[in-house]
Amino acid sequence: MKKTSIILVVLLFSITTFAQNASKRIKEFNLENKVAIQGYDPVAYFTLKKAVKGKSSFTATYEGVTYNFSSQANKDLFLKNPSSYEPQYGGWCAYAMGENNEKVEINPETFKIIDGKLYLFYNAYFNNTLKSWNKNETNLKKKADANWKKIIN
């Protein structure tokens, strides 16, 4: 009886923790119509080295955040290791996160892969923040990492 009770408590705690984590991620991530990266395929950035619009017929949800994919194969790759394909800083502009600790919209076609991680940037109205990021990447990345950690904790 005690073993069953302990398992039940652990299970309930796990479900509650997951629900809270998913809820926090949904609140903090850059989502458009409840989908990350404006519907772009997170796997394509790594496999094709370009931004590719996903399709609503290929979707997967990871810890509350939904992603679209351009193919079933990309969806399958994502599901094997979702955290390795997710954009950094919840899909917000990496430069703005580092420079001003702000959540700024992105242009999904302006990105950079650094050490196997996807970084997205704002690029509109003659302001491509990827260019600014590249001038001071090491410092901005440290600051952005620290700023994002404060937001999600």
Side-chain angles (χ1 to χ4, degrees):
M1 182 68 178
K2 282 185 177 183
K3 196 173 195 177
T4 305
S5 297
I6 291 171
I7 291 171
L8 184 60
V9 169
V10 169
L11 182 62
L12 287 173
F13 178 77
S14 297
I15 291 169
T16 303
T17 302
F18 174 79
Q20 289 171 341
N21 186 36
S23 176
K24 178 121 175 110
R25 283 171 47 91
I26 291 167
K27 180 181 164 214
E28 300 299 348
F29 270 56
N30 183 4
L31 305 178
E32 187 173 289
N33 298 320
K34 299 183 181 179
V35 177
I37 319 174
Q38 297 174 17
Y40 278 71
D41 180 340
V43 175
Y45 290 102
F46 296 91
T47 59
L48 300 175
K49 308 294 185 223
K50 68 179 186 176
V52 176
K53 191 77 168 162
K55 299 174 185 171
S56 60
S57 55
F58 301 114
T59 65
T61 301
Y62 174 62
E63 294 185 356
V65 176
T66 300
Y67 293 91
N68 289 351
F69 303 90
S70 57
S71 68
Q72 182 65 44
N74 281 9
K75 177 183 174 179
D76 292 344
L77 277 173
F78 179 85
L79 290 172
K80 287 180 184 174
N81 192 2
S83 62
S84 67
Y85 295 106
E86 282 197 303
Q88 299 303 291
Y89 319 126
W92 298 105
C93 174
Y95 174 80
M97 187 61 62
E99 182 66 19
N100 303 314
N101 191 20
E102 289 181 340
K103 294 179 183 177
V104 171
E105 291 297 326
I106 51 98
N107 176 332
E109 296 190 7
T110 306
F111 70 96
K112 185 172 186 178
I113 306 288
I114 306 166
D115 298 327
K117 302 286 185 185
L118 174 61
Y119 295 81
L120 299 165
F121 299 88
Y122 175 85
N123 184 3
Y125 307 109
F126 308 106
N127 184 12
N128 181 346
T129 61
L130 175 56
K131 291 179 181 179
S132 300
W133 173 272
N134 286 335
K135 292 176 186 174
N136 192 12
E137 181 175 281
T138 302
N139 186 43
L140 287 167
K141 186 179 173 309
K142 276 186 206 170
K143 289 169 59 177
D145 288 347
N147 290 339
W148 182 244
K149 192 175 263 187
K150 289 177 197 169
I151 289 172
I152 60 169
N153 287 331

